[in-house]
Amino acid sequence: QVQLVESGGGLVQAGGSLRVSCAASGRTLSSISMGWFRQAPGKEREFVAAIRWSAGSTYYADSVKGRFTVARDIAKNMVYLQMNSLQPEDTALYYCAASPYGFGPSIPYKYWGQGTQVTVSS
């Protein structure tokens, strides 16, 4: 079992920046990919970014490419999502997830955190 806890969400004005964090515990060595997803009210959950746990390779959704950066700290068992140039459409509950099956957006993610709210005002 892998436990994931997100933090760092909050309120930010359009054009601003925010960094959310994900603390991982448990059987973290079994995870190949760490991912970030988000879900806005009334919308489906969507993929945001992923990072290969071992090598640090990254993958981004087109909607956030060039604005968001995902990183990890293996020693601290932490995953981060740096969000720049935030827009109101980025407002969502952001989830951290882990997958033992592969890397990227199109593989199943087995473990999920509880989410942290990011609200962008105009």
Side-chain angles (χ1 to χ4, degrees):
Q1 188 80 9
V2 175
Q3 294 81 45
L4 305 171
V5 180
E6 302 95 334
S7 62
L11 176 65
V12 63
Q13 291 186 331
S17 299
L18 199 66
R19 188 181 77 163
V20 292
S21 303
C22 174
S25 61
R27 298 167 58 187
T28 54
L29 290 178
S30 66
S31 297
I32 297 174
S33 179
M34 301 294 293
W36 285 99
F37 294 77
R38 66 186 183 186
Q39 186 168 24
K43 295 185 177 180
E44 298 292 324
R45 184 168 60 193
E46 65 174 333
F47 169 82
V48 176
I51 185 166
R52 192 187 299 273
W53 184 249
S54 59
S57 307
T58 57
Y59 192 102
Y60 299 94
D62 289 341
S63 60
V64 305
K65 194 173 299 181
R67 299 189 297 122
F68 291 10
T69 303
V70 62
R72 92 282 193 243
D73 187 327
I74 295 176
K76 294 182 178 180
N77 282 328
M78 296 287 291
V79 184
Y80 308 96
L81 184 68
Q82 177 67 45
M83 301 178 287
N84 299 324
S85 301
L86 283 163
Q87 302 298 314
E89 53 264 36
D90 295 315
T91 295
L93 189 64
Y94 282 72
Y95 294 93
C96 179
S99 175
Y101 307 116
F103 166 72
S106 301
I107 47 87
Y109 284 81
K110 187 175 182 179
Y111 305 102
W112 296 83
Q114 80 289 343
T116 186
Q117 179 67 39
V118 173
T119 302
V120 184
S121 64
S122 59

